Amino acid sequence: MTARPYVLINVAATVDGKIDTFERRGAAISSERDRERVDRLRASVDAVMVGGRTLLQEDPRLTVRSPELRAERLARGEPENPAKVGVISRLDLQPARDGVASRVALPPDCRFLTAGPARIILFTLHGSEAAWPGERAVEIYTSGSSHVDVAWALAKLLELGIRRVLVEGGGTLNFELLHLGLVDEIQVFIAPLIFGGTAAPTLADGPGLPRHLALNLQCLEVDPWPDGGVLLRYIVEKTSG
Ligand SMILES: NC(=O)c1ccc[n+]([C@@H]2O[C@H](COP(=O)([O-])OP(=O)(O)OC[C@H]3O[C@@H](n4cnc5c(N)ncnc54)[C@H](OP(=O)(O)O)[C@@H]3O)[C@@H](O)[C@H]2O)c1
């Protein structure tokens, strides 16, 4: 098995397991207490990773909100924020000037690129740092043929000194990492909400698994909160294959 960082998936989900509504506009699910928990999680890792659609649709900052937590990171000799890692297949860093419709332009002013300071790492199928028009340094790695090779990406992150990765969705990236056996821990905040909708994303989407290949989890914590939410923490059991 190739060496890789410790990988922790965190999501906020509704009681019916949805991590957004069918509208896919990054619906608010977390409570304020949960946002503080996620901030502490971010402050505890070396990198935060997101999939391409989360990156483009939610325009996340992925930085640590609390000045105290950022100061504690600096005092430990760590960068103020964890590295931000994007996994996006057809990335075009030159916003759609060449008319290549199959590529997605990452806006130079998106918060993934501008909120910081933070190291920015992109895994994609095409692209190079030389093509990047913005002011902020972006490290770009290409690997894979139809999708980014996420096992290779994690091995690369370890090589870059990243030992703990927090994956913050979405459902497609989560599933890919889970079914490849690349996840160690899952934390889920279950909010007292129902979104419904077959098109609404869930913790793990992708093509899915037949019952005999289902992943087994070991429950570490069930913590009901006064805000009506429940925090669940699981370890992903290793399969022998
Ligand atoms: N509640 C929460 O905690 C939470 C957190 C994050 C996101 N979300 C929600 O989740 C939704 C987005 O999830 P999503 O499933 O649509 O997208 P996603 O997982 O964020 O991103 C998937 C994208 O990553 C690219 N990719 C490249 N290589 C990949 C690989 N090996 N495996 C997986 N993906 C790869 C895919 O590009 P190609 O298809 O072009 O190959 C695809 O566009 C949004 O509605 C967002 O609001 C919720």
Side-chain angles (χ1 to χ4, degrees), residues 2-64:
T2 316
R4 61 166 175 82
Y6 186 86
V7 176
L8 189 166
I9 286 179
N10 180 74
V11 297
T14 60
V15 171
D16 55 333
K18 309 299 185 186
I19 62 169
D20 197 358
T21 67
F22 69 93
E23 298 165 300
R24 291 175 172 264
R25 289 192 197 141
I29 298 175
S30 290
S31 62
E32 184 48 35
R33 176 173 167 171
D34 188 52
R35 281 188 280 278
E36 285 167 13
R37 179 190 64 87
V38 175
D39 209 35
R40 286 193 299 278
L41 260 187
R42 277 190 195 157
S44 74
V45 297
D46 301 312
V48 179
M49 176 185 271
V50 289
R53 281 195 289 269
T54 298
L55 190 51
L56 293 161
Q57 292 168 4
E58 281 197 13
D59 191 17
R61 280 192 168 79
L62 304 178
T63 47
V64 177

Side-chain angles (χ1 to χ4, degrees), residues 136-138 142 201 227:
R136 291 283 292 276
V138 179
T142 54
D227 61 18

Side-chain angles (χ1 to χ4, degrees), residues 70 73-74 77-83:
R70 290 201 304 271
R73 284 181 61 94
L74 288 171
E78 296 170 0
E80 194 169 333
N81 290 293

Side-chain angles (χ1 to χ4, degrees), residues 208-222:
L209 297 169
R211 176 64 186 94
H212 69 283
L213 293 178
L215 300 172
N216 292 309
L217 307 178
Q218 184 195 330
C219 186
L220 287 187
E221 187 179 344
V222 180

Side-chain angles (χ1 to χ4, degrees), residues 12 19-20 24 52-54 58 89-90 147-148 168 170 172-173:
I19 62 169
D20 197 358
R24 291 175 172 264
R53 281 195 289 269
T54 298
E58 281 197 13
S89 302
R90 288 171 286 275
H147 288 93
V148 173
E168 293 202 40
T172 307
L173 178 63

Side-chain angles (χ1 to χ4, degrees), residues 176-189:
E176 176 83 349
L177 293 166
L178 283 163
H179 97 94
L180 291 174
L182 300 171
V183 180
D184 299 286
E185 182 178 337
I186 301 176
Q187 296 193 14
V188 192
F189 173 73

